[in-house]
């Protein structure tokens, strides 16, 4: 598996993977497919040295992607914090793609001075919560009942991890 920075031509694959997550439900806060043009515009705004998007390439196929987005619009007092998100193609789950992407994100954090990672996850998304706990994340907050999906409400959980030192970020 090769991990690399996303390029504009990855928009279609990113969009397909993201929309798989939308269709599964409880994997993202979207409940309708996102048009590919939205991901094309988004990729044009990515700053690889600040808010990288990483691609897991498996035999020439985009297997998944991860993002390190600004937290609170990159305000100066929290400029060392990023919100991490990751998505894996349905056919390629449980093959180490998310772990490889996460490890690569840790390397990017070391390069760009990130010392705190946050993510927002729907509490009932057990695979993601389990994965994040294995990576050293803990629950840092909970918004009870704010996610509405298919007539039910779910908690939105904030999970976080401090990357205390350089040795923590390169595993």
């Amino acid at each position: 598996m090769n991990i690399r920075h996303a390029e504009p031509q990855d928009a279609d694959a990113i969009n397909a993977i993201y929309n798989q997550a939308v269709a599964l439900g409880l994997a993202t806060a979207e409940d309708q497919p996102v048009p590919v043009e939205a991901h094309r515009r988004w990729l044009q705004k990515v700053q690889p040295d600040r808010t990288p998007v990483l691609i897991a390439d498996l035999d020439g196929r985009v297997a998944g992607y991860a993002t390190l987005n600004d937290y609170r619009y990159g305000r100066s007092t929290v400029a060392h914090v990023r919100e991490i998100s990751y998505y894996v193609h349905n056919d390629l789950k449980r093959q180490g793609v998310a772990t490889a992407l996460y490890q690569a994100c840790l390397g990017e954090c070391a390069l760009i001075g990130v010392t705190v990672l946050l993510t927002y996850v729907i509490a009932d998304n057990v695979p993601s919560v389990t994965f994040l706990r294995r990576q050293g994340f803990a629950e840092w907050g909970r918004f009870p009942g704010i996610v509405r999906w298919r007539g039910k409400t779910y908690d939105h959980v904030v999970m976080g991890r401090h990357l205390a030192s350089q040795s923590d970020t390169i595993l």
Side-chain angles (χ1 to χ4, degrees):
M1 186 176 333
N2 179 42
I3 306 292
R4 60 176 174 78
H5 283 262
E7 300 174 2
Q9 61 267 27
D10 294 316
D12 289 347
I14 286 171
N15 187 255
I17 291 168
Y18 187 80
N19 282 335
Q20 285 179 343
V22 171
L24 286 176
L26 302 182
T28 180
E30 303 281 358
D31 64 356
Q32 298 295 314
V34 174
V36 70
E37 192 54 42
H39 280 109
R40 287 187 183 127
R41 285 191 306 271
W42 169 66
L43 277 176
Q44 290 173 350
K45 296 177 186 174
V46 166
Q47 299 172 13
D49 60 339
R50 180 173 175 78
T51 56
V53 176
L54 301 179
I55 296 290
D57 191 316
L58 188 59
D59 300 324
R61 178 181 182 190
V62 176
Y65 70 98
T67 66
L68 290 169
N69 293 311
D70 279 330
Y71 172 69
R72 300 287 296 159
Y73 311 105
R75 293 176 180 160
S76 62
T77 61
V78 290
H80 61 285
V81 180
R82 291 295 182 280
E83 182 182 342
I84 186 171
S85 297
Y86 55 91
Y87 298 92
V88 177
H89 192 286
N90 285 347
D91 295 342
L92 301 170
K93 289 185 177 180
R94 306 207 51 83
Q95 295 185 33
V97 176
T99 300
L101 284 165
Y102 177 72
Q103 294 295 321
C105 283
L106 290 178
E108 291 290 315
C109 287
L111 293 173
I112 61 178
V114 172
T115 60
V116 177
L117 286 177
L118 295 175
T119 191
Y120 294 79
V121 62
I122 298 169
D124 288 49
N125 184 346
V126 175
S128 275
V129 170
T130 301
F131 173 78
L132 290 163
R133 288 194 188 284
R134 279 198 318 259
Q135 306 311 318
F137 283 77
E139 185 174 320
W140 285 4
R142 183 176 287 256
F143 300 99
I146 68 166
V147 177
R148 293 182 184 157
W149 189 71
R150 295 190 179 171
K152 293 183 181 179
T153 60
Y154 300 89
D155 294 355
H156 215 192
V157 175
V158 181
M159 296 185 76
R161 177 181 173 195
H162 286 277
L163 307 176
S165 69
Q166 183 77 4
S167 63
D168 286 343
T169 60
I170 301 174
L171 302 176

